[in-house]
Amino acid sequence: MRPSLRGGKWKRVRTPGGRLVIRRVERKVNFVRCGLCGTILSGVPRERTHTFKGLAKTKKRPERMYGGVLCPSCLKKKIVEAVIKLNE
């Protein structure tokens, strides 16, 4: 067996012709997490790479600064820090 197919989960599936075949089950994708605090980001789909590439740009991540990288609370902290730094 090819190294790429070793391990993982396998599932028995009955085909329309009545044969019983074994198919490989893909692993679930992890959630996208915030770069600072590590919380799960809302608005970013939990998809495989090949499915994710086919999505529209607006479906891939929120349309704000650092969308898909930072959660809203961390982004707010970052903006406040930047404003405070500018005013000094």
Side-chain angles (χ1 to χ4, degrees):
M1 186 179 297
R2 288 194 333 235
S4 61
L5 294 179
R6 288 186 202 138
K9 293 186 178 180
W10 297 83
K11 180 179 174 181
R12 288 190 181 99
V13 179
R14 191 164 298 278
T15 62
R19 289 189 317 139
L20 196 64
V21 294
I22 299 174
R23 290 192 182 158
R24 187 162 175 252
V25 180
E26 282 189 335
R27 291 182 311 135
K28 286 187 178 177
V29 179
N30 287 333
F31 289 100
V32 180
R33 294 185 175 271
C34 173
L36 292 179
C37 64
T39 57
I40 294 171
L41 293 179
S42 56
V44 182
R46 187 184 180 191
E47 294 289 337
R48 295 214 144 280
T49 311
H50 58 84
T51 315
F52 199 77
K53 284 196 310 189
L55 294 176
K57 187 175 181 182
T58 54
K59 304 270 191 236
K60 291 179 186 174
R61 45 148 188 75
E63 294 243 354
R64 61 170 178 267
M65 289 189 309
Y66 296 98
V69 179
L70 296 179
C71 65
S73 56
C74 288
L75 178 60
K76 185 178 177 182
K77 289 177 195 171
K78 195 172 174 92
I79 291 171
V80 169
E81 285 173 8
V83 169
I84 290 171
K85 195 173 182 181
L86 279 174
N87 291 336
E88 286 180 353

